[in-house]
Short mmCIF file of all heavy atoms in Angstrom, two decimals:
data_model
loop_
_atom_site.label_atom_id
_atom_site.label_comp_id
_atom_site.label_asym_id
_atom_site.label_seq_id
_atom_site.Cartn_x
_atom_site.Cartn_y
_atom_site.Cartn_z
N PRO W 72 8.79 -52.27 21.17
CA PRO W 72 10.08 -52.99 21.23
C PRO W 72 10.16 -53.82 22.50
O PRO W 72 9.86 -53.35 23.59
CB PRO W 72 11.12 -51.87 21.23
CG PRO W 72 10.36 -50.64 21.57
CD PRO W 72 8.96 -50.85 21.11
N ASN W 73 10.59 -55.07 22.34
CA ASN W 73 10.69 -55.90 23.53
C ASN W 73 11.81 -56.93 23.44
O ASN W 73 11.94 -57.79 24.29
CB ASN W 73 9.36 -56.61 23.81
CG ASN W 73 8.93 -57.42 22.60
OD1 ASN W 73 9.58 -57.36 21.56
ND2 ASN W 73 7.87 -58.19 22.76
N ARG W 74 12.61 -56.86 22.38
CA ARG W 74 13.62 -57.91 22.21
C ARG W 74 14.96 -57.52 22.81
O ARG W 74 15.60 -58.28 23.50
CB ARG W 74 13.82 -58.24 20.71
CG ARG W 74 12.61 -58.83 20.07
CD ARG W 74 12.33 -60.21 20.67
NE ARG W 74 11.02 -60.71 20.28
CZ ARG W 74 10.82 -61.40 19.15
NH1 ARG W 74 11.80 -61.64 18.34
NH2 ARG W 74 9.62 -61.82 18.87
N VAL W 75 15.36 -56.26 22.55
CA VAL W 75 16.71 -55.86 22.94
C VAL W 75 16.69 -55.37 24.37
O VAL W 75 16.21 -54.28 24.65
CB VAL W 75 17.26 -54.76 22.00
CG1 VAL W 75 18.74 -54.60 22.19
CG2 VAL W 75 16.90 -55.07 20.58
N GLY W 76 17.20 -56.16 25.27
CA GLY W 76 17.25 -55.76 26.67
C GLY W 76 15.90 -55.90 27.34
O GLY W 76 14.91 -56.24 26.70
N PRO W 77 15.84 -55.59 28.64
CA PRO W 77 14.58 -55.69 29.35
C PRO W 77 13.60 -54.65 28.85
O PRO W 77 13.96 -53.47 28.69
CB PRO W 77 14.97 -55.43 30.82
CG PRO W 77 16.28 -54.72 30.76
CD PRO W 77 16.95 -55.19 29.51
N PHE W 78 12.39 -55.02 28.55
CA PHE W 78 11.35 -54.15 27.96
C PHE W 78 11.83 -53.47 26.68
O PHE W 78 11.36 -52.41 26.32
CB PHE W 78 10.91 -53.08 28.96
CG PHE W 78 10.51 -53.64 30.28
CD1 PHE W 78 11.29 -53.45 31.40
CD2 PHE W 78 9.34 -54.41 30.39
CE1 PHE W 78 10.92 -53.98 32.63
CE2 PHE W 78 8.96 -54.93 31.61
CZ PHE W 78 9.76 -54.73 32.74
N GLY W 79 12.82 -54.04 26.02
CA GLY W 79 13.36 -53.42 24.81
C GLY W 79 14.08 -52.12 25.10
O GLY W 79 14.21 -51.26 24.23
N LEU W 80 14.57 -51.96 26.31
CA LEU W 80 15.18 -50.68 26.70
C LEU W 80 16.39 -50.33 25.86
O LEU W 80 16.69 -49.17 25.63
CB LEU W 80 15.59 -50.74 28.17
CG LEU W 80 14.64 -50.09 29.17
CD1 LEU W 80 15.12 -50.32 30.57
CD2 LEU W 80 14.55 -48.59 28.88
N PHE W 81 17.10 -51.33 25.36
CA PHE W 81 18.33 -51.03 24.63
C PHE W 81 18.07 -50.88 23.14
O PHE W 81 18.99 -50.76 22.36
CB PHE W 81 19.36 -52.13 24.88
CG PHE W 81 19.73 -52.25 26.33
CD1 PHE W 81 19.99 -53.48 26.92
CD2 PHE W 81 19.82 -51.08 27.10
CE1 PHE W 81 20.32 -53.55 28.27
CE2 PHE W 81 20.16 -51.17 28.45
CZ PHE W 81 20.40 -52.40 29.05
N GLN W 82 16.80 -50.87 22.76
CA GLN W 82 16.45 -50.71 21.34
C GLN W 82 17.09 -49.45 20.77
O GLN W 82 17.65 -49.47 19.69
CB GLN W 82 14.93 -50.62 21.22
CG GLN W 82 14.43 -50.52 19.80
CD GLN W 82 14.70 -51.80 19.02
OE1 GLN W 82 14.44 -52.91 19.48
NE2 GLN W 82 15.27 -51.64 17.83
N SER W 83 17.02 -48.35 21.54
CA SER W 83 17.57 -47.09 21.04
C SER W 83 19.06 -47.19 20.84
O SER W 83 19.61 -46.66 19.87
CB SER W 83 17.28 -45.97 22.03
OG SER W 83 15.92 -45.97 22.34
N ILE W 84 19.73 -47.90 21.73
CA ILE W 84 21.18 -48.05 21.58
C ILE W 84 21.48 -48.82 20.31
O ILE W 84 22.37 -48.45 19.53
CB ILE W 84 21.77 -48.73 22.82
CG1 ILE W 84 21.52 -47.84 24.04
CG2 ILE W 84 23.24 -49.01 22.65
CD1 ILE W 84 21.95 -48.47 25.33
N ALA W 85 20.69 -49.83 20.08
CA ALA W 85 20.88 -50.60 18.86
C ALA W 85 20.67 -49.72 17.64
O ALA W 85 21.44 -49.76 16.67
CB ALA W 85 19.89 -51.77 18.84
#
Side-chain angles (χ1 to χ4, degrees):
Chain W
N73 56 355
R74 295 293 168 88
V75 194
F78 308 109
L80 260 176
F81 299 143
Q82 183 67 47
S83 309
I84 297 175

